[in-house]
Structure formats: C-alpha cells, structure tokens
Amino acid sequence: MVLELKDIYKSFGEKEVLHGVSLSVENGKALGFLGRNGAGKTTTIRILMDVFRANSGEILLDGKKFVPGKHRIGYLPEERGLYPKRKVMDQMIFLGTLRGMKGREAKESAERWLKRLEVDMYADKKLETLSKGNQQKVQLASTLVHDPEIVILDEPFSGLDPVNAQILKDVVNELIAQGKIVIFSSHQMNYVEEFCDYITIIDKGRVTLDGDLKEIKREYGRNRLILAADDVPPAELCQRAQQVLEGLARVFEVKKEFLVLELSEGPDRRKILERLAGSDLQVEMFGRYEPSLNDIFVAKVGEESSDESK
C-alpha cells in the first residue's frame, strides 16, 4: 500500500496554516514527519484522519481516494486521551469495540498487548495510579488493540526510561516488519533515524525537505570531511587546521570530538591528506562526514526561517 497526501491546503478562518503539503509513505516503511511546534504536523495528521477537512488537495491510498472510515487507523497523539479514573482493561475493551471489534475479541487483544508491553499486571488498575511511563505503554496498547493497518505515533517515547523505550522500539520494528504503514513524529531525532527510511520536514505549513533519509544525508555531507588529532581538543585544532589547510578547506563546524571541514572548490581528499601528513598534527580521525538528522533539521528549518525573514 502507498498512502499519499497531495497538495493539501487548510485554513482556519482567514489564516492559512497548510500551504500545499504533500507526502508519501508505503507499507513496510516508516516515515518521519518532522517539524517545530506549530509547524502544521498535527493539523496534517487530523486531516488524514478526517477530523479536519482540507480546503483543497487529496489523499490517496494506492491511487484511489482514501476513506479513513474504511480502514483501521491507530493514532497515538502527543496529548494523551485515555480516561485517568477508569480501569485499564475496561477502557481498552471500550475503545476496541468503538473500532468495530466484538467485546471478547477486544479483551483478548487487550490482554495480548498489555502483556507484550509488560503492563498486564495493571489491567484492573485505574490509569491514574500508574507511573507516567506505564501510562504511556497503556496508551500504545490502546492504539494497537484493533490491529491497525496505518499507525501514527506522535512523540511515542515521551516519559519512557531506557528499558521501556527499548520495549517500544521492538514493537515499532515489529509493526514495520508486519507491513504496516507507520508515520512517526518526534523531536527525538535519534529515534527517527533508527526507524525511518524517509523523512518529511514541515515548517510554517510548508514542506521544506522530503525524501530518502540516506540520500539526504549523503547530499548534506557532500564535500565535507571530519578531522580529529591526538591530544588536541577540537577548539584548539580549529585554528591550527585553518592554517595547515588554507586554500584547500575551511572549518565548517566545531563538534565536541572532531572538526567538520568543508572542501574548497577544486581540491580533493588526497590533497587534504598530503597537507596533513606534512604538518605536525597527529591525525586520529579523518573521513567523510555524515550529518545527523538533528544537524539536517536545524540547518534546514533555520535556512527556511532566515529566507522568509529577508
């Protein structure tokens, strides 16, 4: 299956909040849908779920009009929606039946998911008595209780310690392996990098970057190298590298453990190595620079904001 949003516009009154948003995700892959607070992510998701109606544009599944009511969608919102004073099992069965399951079927599925997420001992407890992390796992179990075809996870790792985060990571990987369509939204870029093959970055209601994450990383790392030297902190190495590599490269960024160099037009990596070999620097690390998704996100959103302010 391929789910596509094409040229989605949305206004609230006179204020247009989405300006032609397009994205695509296929089953068995995860899409990282990213943006700063207020960028338009939640509005886009609500349009996909038919909570809001777009002013224009279309949503397609395998090239045909997508009708949310005909498909099983699991949505874990950033602002959680379960009832704190109701027992965990009771409300999971209730939510399952709302999504078309029979009571017995909903109970069996709820038991499986609570056990899978290691919170089955709280089935008869009120949600408010659970820790924040366990409440989060119950929220995820409720999202998946009806075996959704499309899974939308908004900040799913919020409030989880490393052990519980690993349980959730395993579940997300299982969903992807099962061929689900997974849309993953988070400000924790390390998790997005771990799961997502493709990313879409939205800023001020416009898509600013979209595509295969590996290809985007290669593009952003083009003509850039990393350099570290024995016993020379990056801050000190910065000045010495500028002198040694003058005319060949410049220091693009100083990281905690290494420098990022940007090649001047013309020189190649071999010439950089020759210049370094002839210096008194004891090179510890030298190679192609691969930016993190966090680097790309900050650079891209920053560029777009700067462009709009001119």
Side-chain angles (χ1 to χ4, degrees), residues 162-179:
V163 173
N164 283 324
Q166 184 59 54
I167 294 171
L168 180 50
K169 284 195 278 187
D170 292 342
V171 168
V172 174
N173 280 321
E174 288 167 13
L175 295 172
I176 295 168
Q178 289 167 10

Side-chain angles (χ1 to χ4, degrees), residues 185-197:
S185 180
S186 177
H187 291 112
Q188 295 171 286
M189 299 295 169
N190 57 317
Y191 290 128
V192 178
E193 285 189 274
E194 190 166 346
F195 298 122
C196 297
D197 300 284

